Amino acid sequence: MKDLLIVEGTLTPLSSKTHITYQFNIPGPAESLRIDFSYSPKVLDDKEQARVLIEEALDKYVDPSLQAVYKEQWEKFAPLKNLLTLSIDDPEGFRGSAHRHPNHQHHVLSPHESSPGFFAGPIHEGVWRVTISVHCVVTSECRYQLHIREGEIDHEVASI
Amino acid sequence: MKWLPFELHTHTPHSDGIHTLLEMCRKAAELGFRGIALTDHNTTSGMADAAQVTEETGVAIIPGLEWTTFYGHMLTLGVPYCEWRDLGPKDIHKGIDRVHRQGGVVGIAHPFSLGSPICTGCHWEYEIQDWNQVDYMEVWHETLPPMRNHNAPAFEQWTNLLNQGYRIAGTAGRDWHHSNDESDPPAYTYLGIVGDTDALTKEQAVDAIRTGRICISMGPLVTIELQADGQSYHTGDVIRRSDCANVETVELTVRIDHPSIASRRQMVQEEGLTVIVESNLGECCRSALADGATVFQHSIRPEKLLWLRVRLYGMLSGVLSTIAFTNPIYFED
Ligand SMILES: [Zn+2]
Ligand SMILES: [Zn+2]
């Protein structure tokens, strides 16, 4: 096991609709790549804040004639959630993504098997990129951690 | 040509779906589908199992992807991953070109869903400078689509664009994440498939969508034929005005084929159906179909027509509703 990238950061709602890309070098062919990614909090717990954001969205997206009905049921759209997703590019191009909701994720890429969302294939040496797509931050702060390691082959191809 | 039912919007655990491709295709076969498009969010890695799943279930799998971006969700069909992460809200045509250059088609998914932060990027907010570049719109989204609020403005927008002279296909998509027996029924997107239908290819499905050989339905297949001066035209075809200059009317034939699947026949009442002929000039005709009748004919004056489609109206699970609609036959000068 060899660490390739250990990074973390703090986001605010202003980071919604942005991408954060880290570029790192793999010095020689590797047997596998292991990625741990997490962010927190996942959910906006403050009900009043949620209500304001939901009503704003309903004003924006619902036909005026239906807005009152939707607003009565605003709680149906709660809790609001942060959503950050991960995608990877290897030296040859797009290598897959994990567009899903859990905020703790573990991915393995290897020549014959990869975690769902990613393509199996050699872990070439060269410049790789990992991109965090910040679809939405609704909490005042959202912290993320990303840890990428080179690893040996085993048969555990886990993912959440 | 053969009309075959497809499900054009699906997910698996390669993005946020719950069912595996195999579980989904088994269920799709049970529901009467001949093919699905695998449109996971932002990846095509799920296609690795496709050949084996098709062999096991008989359900064709068309490679696709749902661009799950910050400003809208766009379905791509028939192509591998195309880059979207560098596009801003005014750059969608750059993205559409990337798909078209590789021979694929693009469709706007659920254009009027609620957007962020309720559903991130789900409401279409990209600026479209040229609607001619949009191949299709998902005007019926999710299960039991004619009953859903957000599909009404989508259907209306589609109609408005047709009125402006754009030829855009209308499709249905369940946005299928989970197979269970309790869920409401999805619509069929019948595609008019040309060529061998034993081993369906992505090219055949893409061609049907590009040319608008499509009927959307909760059950029965509705097809239309126009006879104009000895020539016959079908769903998706374009009639040149010069080809019907010598005749006062064109003759429309509507055919209705009820599916053999028992659950569908229970859901859509075969009696009391109404045929509605719609066009850029509004409703041309509305006529109750005699019980048991499966063919309807009507004469139409072609002048000033840009497009014409047929909608079938009747009882769906005990509620009066649109049951099916065809894509248009188009007219041009
Ligand atoms: Zn979507
Ligand atoms: Zn979807």
Side-chain angles (χ1 to χ4, degrees), chain B residues 3-270:
Chain B
W3 289 94
L4 302 177
F6 277 72
E7 169 53 64
L8 293 181
H9 188 165
T10 72
H11 298 278
T12 70
H14 286 265
S15 58
D16 61 350
I18 309 290
H19 47 203
T20 64
L21 188 59
L22 179 60
E23 287 161 352
M24 175 166 66
C25 287
R26 279 191 183 134
K27 192 72 194 172
E30 234 174 79
L31 290 168
F33 289 100
R34 278 295 309 278
I36 63 132
L38 177 60
T39 56
D40 268 313
H41 299 291
N42 297 337
T43 189
T44 56
S45 58
M47 283 302 290
D49 304 328
Q52 205 185 330
V53 169
T54 297
E55 187 160 333
E56 202 170 327
T57 61
V59 174
I61 300 166
I62 308 303
L65 183 148
E66 182 176 14
W67 276 28
T68 306
T69 81
F70 305 152
Y71 314 104
H73 290 189
M74 186 173 82
L75 299 161
T76 71
L77 286 185
V79 288
Y81 176 85
C82 296
E83 191 52 56
W84 65 271
R85 291 166 294 180
D86 58 341
L87 301 178
K90 295 189 176 178
D91 301 330
I92 194 62
H93 286 289
K94 209 196 262 183
I96 293 174
D97 283 347
R98 291 172 184 164
V99 177
H100 283 167
R101 269 203 303 273
Q102 298 198 63
V105 285
V106 302
I108 298 177
H110 47 71
F112 287 89
S113 282
L114 301 176
S116 299
I118 293 172
C119 181
T120 61
C122 293
H123 189 94
W124 186 262
E125 293 174 278
Y126 282 107
E127 181 184 302
I128 295 199
Q129 286 112 33
D130 180 6
W131 280 97
N132 286 312
Q133 300 306 311
V134 175
D135 301 293
Y136 66 104
M137 282 174 69
E138 187 180 67
V139 294
W140 270 13
H141 178 232
E142 298 179 328
T143 54
L144 219 51
M147 314 276 186
R148 292 190 188 263
N149 283 337
H150 67 296
N151 289 328
F155 196 87
E156 193 183 310
Q157 186 185 29
W158 180 45
T159 304
N160 287 338
L161 289 163
L162 296 175
N163 287 344
Q164 291 166 45
Y166 297 108
R167 292 181 196 149
I168 298 173
T171 64
R174 176 175 180 168
D175 212 345
W176 198 3
H177 286 76
H178 190 186
S179 304
N180 58 13
D181 293 325
E182 292 87 64
S183 39
D184 287 328
Y188 292 140
T189 297
Y190 288 100
L191 298 182
I193 297 289
V194 174
D196 175 26
T197 54
D198 290 333
L200 293 168
T201 65
K202 64 177 185 193
E203 287 80 9
Q204 287 171 299
V206 163
D207 179 57
I209 292 169
R210 196 182 280 129
T211 39
R213 290 193 306 272
I214 302 170
C215 164
I216 309 301
S217 178
M218 292 309 296
L221 167 66
V222 182
T223 53
I224 50 178
E225 182 181 352
L226 270 182
Q227 293 276 349
D229 208 4
Q231 284 284 337
S232 110
Y233 303 87
H234 300 87
T235 313
D237 285 348
V238 181
I239 305 182
R240 289 193 182 186
R241 231 171 275 287
S242 56
D243 292 337
C244 52
N246 303 324
V247 292
E248 210 165 291
T249 60
V250 291
E251 311 306 317
L252 171 70
T253 303
V254 181
R255 291 189 181 81
I256 295 156
D257 288 298
H258 291 284
S260 51
I261 288 195
S263 55
R264 290 280 156 171
R265 299 194 83 133
Q266 276 164 16
M267 189 173 62
V268 177
Q269 194 177 306
E270 291 176 25

